[in-house]
Amino acid sequence: MTVLDKNNQASSAAPALAFYGKMLTFSRLQFSTDDLVAIEAQLAETLSNKTSNIPILIDSEVEQDLSALVELLWSWGLQPIGVVTGKLDEQARAQRLAIFPADGKRIERILPSKKAAPQVAKVAEDKNADLASNKDTTAINDTATETTISDVTAESLVSTEQITSLIYDQMLRSGQSLNHVGGDLILTNSVNSGAEAITDNSLHIYGRAQGRLVAGATGDKDARIFCQVFNPSLVSVAGTYCLRDNLPEHVIDKSVQVRFIEGEGLVFTVMDET
């Protein structure tokens, strides 16, 4: 029988938490009045019961008593998880509710410190030197704006002065989530069912594209998705999503481009059609 001291027990224990990137489906309620009586009357007309348990975002054009509004929504079986940034930001912070970016806005990224910037340049120079001596090394262009997932540095991801595309060569398997911020996400292999690929810019998949595909994750309406073989369980651009059952049949298993157009929603284009 092995006896462990307290320090060993602590070091061998499971981690207290782990971050995972998962897509959540929630609805957005837009309010044009702070009249709770009118709001409740509209809820009564819209909802058939008080047990829907739908996660929602509060998007209000006017000032609200946020605490009272949240209580009202909970009483109707809705679950407010946050607000769209605007008039309710201060109240949301006080109540520890999430604040989501408005349409077309991107989450700000932290700029590297002045000391970190030269380090990024040095990393790029070192990588280019390695490329000269080893032709089998994964390619990085002379501006170091593209790299593989194993080469990503914190500085290169957060810099707003240098958009960094991420190239991922492995198959994305069920249960895996690849989330990239700061540039296009390029997958040279397939995305299996049950996996997800997420980026705040455009998404390129040169294998079979299943699972959840998300571009413009922080609201960039110019983001697009390009797939060589298109058959996802969910596709989303700039927060507008479509599930597999609602995809146009003529785009399934084709080479497809997906983009968002204001007033139309998601637009699917078969790229090899003549």
Side-chain angles (χ1 to χ4, degrees), residues 134-210:
N134 184 358
K135 294 181 179 179
D136 292 331
T137 304
T138 303
I140 303 175
N141 65 18
D142 56 1
T143 59
T145 57
E146 293 184 352
T147 182
T148 60
I149 190 169
S150 60
D151 296 322
V152 174
T153 65
E155 293 88 350
S156 66
L157 282 180
V158 300
S159 174
T160 57
E161 298 174 356
Q162 181 181 19
I163 299 300
T164 306
S165 296
L166 175 64
I167 300 174
Y168 187 75
D169 292 320
Q170 302 176 35
M171 179 180 292
L172 204 58
R173 303 185 183 281
S174 179
Q176 293 182 319
S177 176
L178 182 58
N179 193 325
H180 177 56
V181 175
D184 288 3
L185 176 56
I186 303 166
L187 292 90
T188 62
N189 212 315
S190 296
V191 178
N192 285 355
S193 178
E196 58 186 16
I198 304 171
T199 177
D200 61 342
N201 279 58
S202 293
L203 176 63
H204 309 253
I205 303 174
Y206 294 101
R208 184 170 180 81
Q210 298 177 290

Side-chain angles (χ1 to χ4, degrees), residues 9 21 25 67 76 106 119 143 167 184 192 223 228 231 233 252 257:
Q9 288 177 345
T25 301
S67 178
W76 277 89
R106 296 166 64 93
Q119 293 174 357
T143 59
I167 300 174
D184 288 3
N192 285 355
Q228 189 166 346
N231 194 356
S233 59
I252 301 301
Q257 174 190 179

Side-chain angles (χ1 to χ4, degrees), residues 222-235:
D222 293 325
R224 302 189 182 191
I225 297 176
F226 302 90
C227 297
Q228 189 166 346
V229 183
F230 184 73
N231 194 356
S233 59
L234 177 146
V235 60

Side-chain angles (χ1 to χ4, degrees), residues 33-251:
T33 178
D34 62 353
D35 185 344
L36 295 181
V37 175
I39 292 172
E40 183 163 25
Q42 186 73 52
L43 289 172
E45 293 179 8
T46 305
L47 302 176
S48 59
N49 60 67
K50 295 187 176 184
T51 59
S52 60
N53 296 321
I54 301 173
I56 63 160
L57 292 183
I58 296 172
D59 183 4
S60 183
E61 301 174 358
V62 299
E63 288 285 354
Q64 300 278 353
D65 181 343
L66 185 57
S67 178
L69 180 59
V70 167
E71 287 298 322
L72 175 60
L73 296 174
W74 272 103
S75 73
W76 277 89
L78 303 175
Q79 301 181 26
I81 61 174
V83 304
V84 176
T85 187
K87 296 180 179 295
L88 303 180
D89 288 8
E90 186 175 344
Q91 293 186 72
R93 290 190 185 95
Q95 297 184 41
R96 299 296 190 265
L97 289 176
I99 300 175
F100 288 76
D103 287 342
K105 302 295 183 182
R106 296 166 64 93
I107 295 175
E108 292 185 8
R109 294 185 291 277
I110 301 172
L111 288 172
S113 65
K114 292 182 179 179
K115 292 183 179 180
Q119 293 174 357
V120 177
K122 185 177 185 304
V123 169
E125 292 170 1
D126 291 344
K127 292 184 188 305
N128 287 330
D130 291 340
L131 284 174
S133 61
N134 184 358
K135 294 181 179 179
D136 292 331
T137 304
T138 303
I140 303 175
N141 65 18
D142 56 1
T143 59
T145 57
E146 293 184 352
T147 182
T148 60
I149 190 169
S150 60
D151 296 322
V152 174
T153 65
E155 293 88 350
S156 66
L157 282 180
V158 300
S159 174
T160 57
E161 298 174 356
Q162 181 181 19
I163 299 300
T164 306
S165 296
L166 175 64
I167 300 174
Y168 187 75
D169 292 320
Q170 302 176 35
M171 179 180 292
L172 204 58
R173 303 185 183 281
S174 179
Q176 293 182 319
S177 176
L178 182 58
N179 193 325
H180 177 56
V181 175
D184 288 3
L185 176 56
I186 303 166
L187 292 90
T188 62
N189 212 315
S190 296
V191 178
N192 285 355
S193 178
E196 58 186 16
I198 304 171
T199 177
D200 61 342
N201 279 58
S202 293
L203 176 63
H204 309 253
I205 303 174
Y206 294 101
R208 184 170 180 81
Q210 298 177 290
R212 303 180 186 90
L213 313 178
V214 181
T218 57
D220 185 356
K221 295 182 179 180
D222 293 325
R224 302 189 182 191
I225 297 176
F226 302 90
C227 297
Q228 189 166 346
V229 183
F230 184 73
N231 194 356
S233 59
L234 177 146
V235 60
S236 173
V237 177
T240 298
Y241 69 91
C242 182
L243 298 176
R244 173 64 175 80
D245 292 343
N246 297 320
L247 292 175
E249 284 299 323
H250 74 279
V251 304

